[in-house]
């Protein structure tokens, strides 16, 4: 799933570690999300969107996600 | 977090009990039955002491985590991280650990009675471990 996490992080000058600590996951999970290897759960997507003060749709692109993902 | 800490303390207790149980089984069987051969003596003894050392080290590590809030928080994040949870689920981590412990324990006990069974069980443990590592590597790369 495509995300704007890396772009938003760089705009706000936030490290992966800081974001990971804020949303309660490991840094590797943030890396996987940014590399589009891993699809976040609804709860994690909500926490990340909230952290950036945006909606889930603004951070995550659901257009190419299938039910199997 | 309190529930997680209680869970860790329970794991620490189980690890400590494992140390006591393994020592009791090893020294009890050594005194009462003796080994099947010199080969199984070294093999069974080595495996048993490796398990004792691992259980004691786990108990000590969990104790250190329980008294350090920062380490506790880091372990909590790692344990509840959804990506790690998915990898653990895909590699059947829980059932692997339980099976590995049971087969290792069986290997130690069988070393007192049968060389063939000891070798067979040791091979099972080795193959299980290699498969587990391969799956873990694969899913680590995938997610």
């Amino acid at each position: 799933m495509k995300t704007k996490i890396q772009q938003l992080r760089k705009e706000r000058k936030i490290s992966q570690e800081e974001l990971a600590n804020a949303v309660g996951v490991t840094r590797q999970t943030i890396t996987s999300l940014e590399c589009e290897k891993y699809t976040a759960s609804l709860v994690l997507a909500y926490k990340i969107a909230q952290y950036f003060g945006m909606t889930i749709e603004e951070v995550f692109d659901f257009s190419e996600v299938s039910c199997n993902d | 977090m309190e529930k997680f800490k209680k869970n860790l303390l329970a794991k620490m207790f189980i690890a400590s009990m494992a140390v006591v149980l393994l020592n009791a089984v090893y020294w009890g069987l050594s005194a009462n039955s003796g080994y099947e051969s010199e080969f199984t003596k070294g093999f069974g003894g080595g495996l048993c002491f490796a398990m004792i050392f691992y259980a004691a080290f786990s108990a000590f590590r969990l104790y250190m985590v329980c008294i350090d809030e920062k380490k506790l928080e880091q372990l909590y994040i790692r344990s509840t991280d959804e990506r790690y949870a998915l990898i653990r689920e895909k590699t059947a981590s829980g059932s692997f650990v339980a099976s590995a412990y049971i087969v290792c324990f069986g290997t130690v006990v069988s070393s007192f009675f049968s060389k063939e069974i000891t070798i067979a069980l040791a091979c099972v443990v080795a193959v299980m471990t290699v498969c587990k590592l391969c799956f873990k590597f694969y899913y680590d790369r995938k997610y």
Side-chain angles (χ1 to χ4, degrees), chain B residues 106-123:
Chain B
T107 311
V108 172
V109 174
S110 69
S111 68
F112 290 92
F113 308 107
S114 168
K115 185 179 175 181
E116 288 75 20
I117 295 173
T118 307
I119 293 169
L121 289 177
C123 289

Side-chain angles (χ1 to χ4, degrees), chain A residues 20-21 24-26 28-29 32 37-41 44, chain B residues 73-74 77-78 80-84 86 140-143:
Chain A
N21 287 337
V25 293
T26 58
Q28 287 90 334
T29 300
S32 287
K37 278 181 172 180
Y38 177 67
T39 304
S41 69
L44 180 59
Chain B
E73 198 177 327
Q74 280 174 349
I77 288 176
R78 198 178 160 89
T80 54
D81 183 88
E82 58 179 52
R83 181 176 156 270
Y84 277 105
L86 180 68
D140 263 338
R141 300 279 299 171
K142 188 178 177 185
Y143 297 114

Side-chain angles (χ1 to χ4, degrees), chain B residues 16-33:
Chain B
S16 308
M17 285 296 105
V19 173
V20 175
L21 179 74
L22 283 165
N23 269 306
V25 168
Y26 182 76
W27 295 114
L29 283 174
S30 295
N32 292 325
S33 61

